[in-house]
Amino acid sequence: VSEKDDRRMYYLADEILGDFGFKKYEISNYEVIEETESLCQIHYVIDLTVGDRKNADLEGVFHITSTWKKVSDKWKLIFNMDSRIIKS
């Protein structure tokens, strides 16, 4: 994955999060793992704060992993999984 693609993947994640109307979020531990030139996995930790309490179940800290496929020079999300990180 090129540096340009790496940055684009980060911004795609940012765009997706913006669609959910979070009041605040912070991405950390961001890592792109190349599998092939057209397939990669992204791992990151995200801390989410919702703006509307009706979405309170979306608030918290999560580990995210997603798989992306490059089709015609555009990256497409093909799989996403998250796991809530419980703070003790």
Side-chain angles (χ1 to χ4, degrees), residues 27-65:
I27 297 173
S28 63
N29 301 334
Y30 179 81
E31 177 182 26
V32 175
I33 300 170
E34 183 174 359
E35 294 179 358
T36 70
E37 288 186 16
S38 63
L39 189 68
C40 69
Q41 263 192 324
I42 298 176
H43 300 265
Y44 58 95
V45 173
I46 188 161
D47 188 346
L48 299 169
T49 303
V50 297
D52 188 335
R53 296 314 304 162
K54 73 178 181 180
N55 296 324
D57 59 326
L58 299 175
E59 190 165 86
V61 180
F62 299 86
H63 176 254
I64 309 291
T65 183

